[in-house]
Amino acid sequence: GELPIKYTICTSKESEIWIPILIAYKSIVVFISLVFAFEIRKVKIKEIKESRMVTFSVYTIIVTVTSTLPVLYLLPEEKTVTFAIVGALCLILATVLLTVNFLPKVRN
């Protein structure tokens, strides 16, 4: 027969308080990164020629996070689907960012 699927979920009575606090904190950090990336995107200093890549990386992370969070809250009971979506997005995001940031350096 089939084996039952079991999940272990770590929860707390304070989860309803701490999760929004953590999301707010991380949102503030990403917003500050976005402001810095926006400010340095047109810098033409030779030593800081990666400023456009930094801006692209921050924008890509913001788009990925804002598209992933609703999925996590819309499918709370579908643990396998949620895990697969988050895992796939993390792998795709890491691959894209590493390729975009380091491929030009490898080519030169």
Side-chain angles (χ1 to χ4, degrees), residues 46-60:
K46 186 177 181 180
E47 288 80 20
I48 316 175
K49 63 182 180 182
E50 292 93 10
S51 61
R52 297 178 97 200
M53 296 302 164
V54 171
T55 305
F56 174 76
S57 299
V58 172
Y59 290 154
T60 306

Side-chain angles (χ1 to χ4, degrees), residues 14-69:
E14 289 81 22
S15 289
E16 293 177 3
I17 296 169
W18 283 106
I19 290 178
I21 289 172
L22 288 172
I23 289 174
Y25 169 73
K26 291 181 182 210
S27 298
I28 291 169
V29 170
V30 168
F31 178 75
I32 291 170
S33 300
L34 179 64
V35 170
F36 284 146
F38 184 76
E39 291 295 324
I40 68 166
R41 77 187 192 290
K42 293 184 180 179
V43 173
K44 300 291 185 198
I45 300 172
K46 186 177 181 180
E47 288 80 20
I48 316 175
K49 63 182 180 182
E50 292 93 10
S51 61
R52 297 178 97 200
M53 296 302 164
V54 171
T55 305
F56 174 76
S57 299
V58 172
Y59 290 154
T60 306
I61 291 169
I62 289 172
V63 168
T64 306
V65 168
T66 55
S67 62
T68 305
L69 279 179

